[in-house]
Amino acid sequence: MGNSNLHIWLQASRPLTLTAAIIPVIAGVALARADTGVTRWPLFWLALLGAIFIQIGTNLVNDAKDFQRGADTADRLGPQRVTQAGLLSAASVMRGSWISFAFATLCGIPLVIAGGMPIAVIGITSVIAAYAYTGGPYPLGYHGFGELFVILFFGLVAVGGTYYLQADSYSADAFVAGLAVGCLSSVLLAVNNLRDESGDRVIGKKTLVVRYGRRFGIVEIAALSLLPFALGLYWWIKGFPVAALLPLLSLPLALVIIRRAVNDSGVALNRVLKLAAALHASYGVLLSLGLWMSTA
């Protein structure tokens, strides 16, 4: 029974999504090392754990609130959600989310001591936004702000905050790396919303693809998938050629995702989600490796 319950909570945490939290931290540390030649390993591990707990907390809030708002039903096209399946109550899942956010806060205390007020602001706003994505009186994901939320918090803020902890500063480098990572993280959400368009339209979940149509959704996926590769020009000009070239190894995966988004629909897009997760992870690892090899 205990093992079964643990398995359910593991399912609720959505371990396959945790790269969305891990990759920005790795990229931020690699970039800081490239710019300063220094790595503060204790801060790296604390930032990594904090990001993972925030991601888990976000997933749990999403699981409970989507069910309560009627977005997750028996007709759901995506992977099973524990609240919708009756494996856990919404109240239990929400308690789990607050426990995750509490662990993230504990990880964040030493980070605030090291980084000061900017890190405190990042931590507080990240937890608030994680809840506000599907919770509260104006859930961001239900009003077309999902992609912007992901680019901001799983890209610009996560990479930039990690970089700041390591380098004691912020830079254009951190913005470019954060934008690239955030765009690819947002591809997962865009594919998810394309898959769920018809169901979201019925319940009044006004994602961008619901607002502007399937063609917009496909163009959005293409733009989010390709922009990070265009940003490689920045690293080339900066004098980090390895960071510019290595991520190109994952470009064929981006092209496959775009083609599949055009041709697939419904449940078939679940396979595209896995490809999008692989693209985000592979690009992030290759970019980080390229930056690490460009150490000042």
Side-chain angles (χ1 to χ4, degrees):
M1 180 69 177
N3 288 336
S4 176
N5 196 47
L6 179 62
H7 175 77
I8 292 171
W9 279 105
L10 184 63
Q11 178 183 339
S13 71
R14 305 182 203 173
L16 293 179
T17 70
L18 297 185
T19 53
I22 294 169
I23 292 298
V25 176
I26 293 174
V29 168
L31 177 59
R33 184 175 179 85
D35 284 347
T36 68
V38 175
T39 302
R40 300 175 177 178
W41 289 109
L43 298 182
F44 163 73
W45 290 112
L46 286 168
L48 186 65
L49 284 173
I52 289 172
F53 281 124
I54 288 178
Q55 175 70 56
I56 292 173
T58 303
N59 290 342
L60 294 175
V61 172
N62 179 257
D63 194 304
K65 293 300 181 181
D66 272 353
F67 173 74
Q68 291 176 331
R69 294 180 187 278
D72 285 347
T73 66
D75 298 324
R76 174 180 170 80
L77 298 178
Q80 184 186 66
R81 296 290 175 253
V82 298
T83 314
Q84 169 260 320
L87 301 176
L88 293 171
S89 69
S92 294
V93 174
M94 283 303 300
R95 282 195 295 271
S97 74
W98 293 122
I99 292 172
S100 293
F101 291 143
F103 278 121
T105 301
L106 289 176
C107 292
I109 292 173
L111 300 180
V112 171
I113 293 172
M117 187 55 65
I119 299 302
V121 171
I122 286 174
I124 293 169
T125 55
S126 294
V127 171
I128 292 173
Y131 176 79
Y133 178 69
T134 46
Y138 192 85
L140 301 174
Y142 282 69
H143 292 86
F145 294 107
E147 288 87 343
L148 180 62
F149 165 88
V150 171
I151 292 172
L152 180 59
F153 285 98
F154 290 93
L156 298 174
V157 170
V159 173
T162 303
Y163 181 89
Y164 183 87
L165 277 168
Q166 295 287 326
D168 293 323
S169 65
Y170 186 73
S171 69
D173 294 358
F175 178 86
V176 172
L179 180 61
V181 170
C183 282
L184 291 181
S185 188
S186 194
V187 171
L188 281 87
L189 179 62
V191 172
N192 185 81
N193 289 343
L194 185 66
R195 181 198 65 201
D196 294 341
E197 177 192 5
S198 59
D200 288 345
R201 194 179 298 277
V202 169
I203 67 166
K205 185 176 181 180
K206 299 177 181 178
T207 62
L208 291 180
V209 69
V210 168
R211 288 179 182 271
Y212 303 114
R214 177 178 174 80
R215 180 174 295 180
F216 174 90
I218 293 171
V219 171
E220 179 192 20
I221 289 168
L224 291 171
S225 298
L226 296 178
L227 178 59
F229 297 98
L231 292 174
L233 181 62
Y234 175 88
W235 304 116
W236 185 271
I237 293 172
K238 183 178 174 62
F240 290 173
V242 181
L245 295 175
L246 263 186
L248 291 175
L249 293 174
S250 61
L251 179 57
L253 192 52
L255 299 178
V256 171
I257 289 169
I258 296 168
R259 178 175 62 83
R260 295 285 292 271
V262 172
N263 296 325
D264 293 352
S265 61
V267 176
L269 286 170
N270 285 332
R271 295 193 296 270
V272 185
L273 274 175
K274 294 179 180 178
L275 294 176
L279 173 62
H280 175 258
S282 60
Y283 177 97
V285 169
L286 291 167
L287 175 63
S288 300
L289 181 60
L291 291 169
W292 194 272
M293 295 171 66
S294 305
T295 299

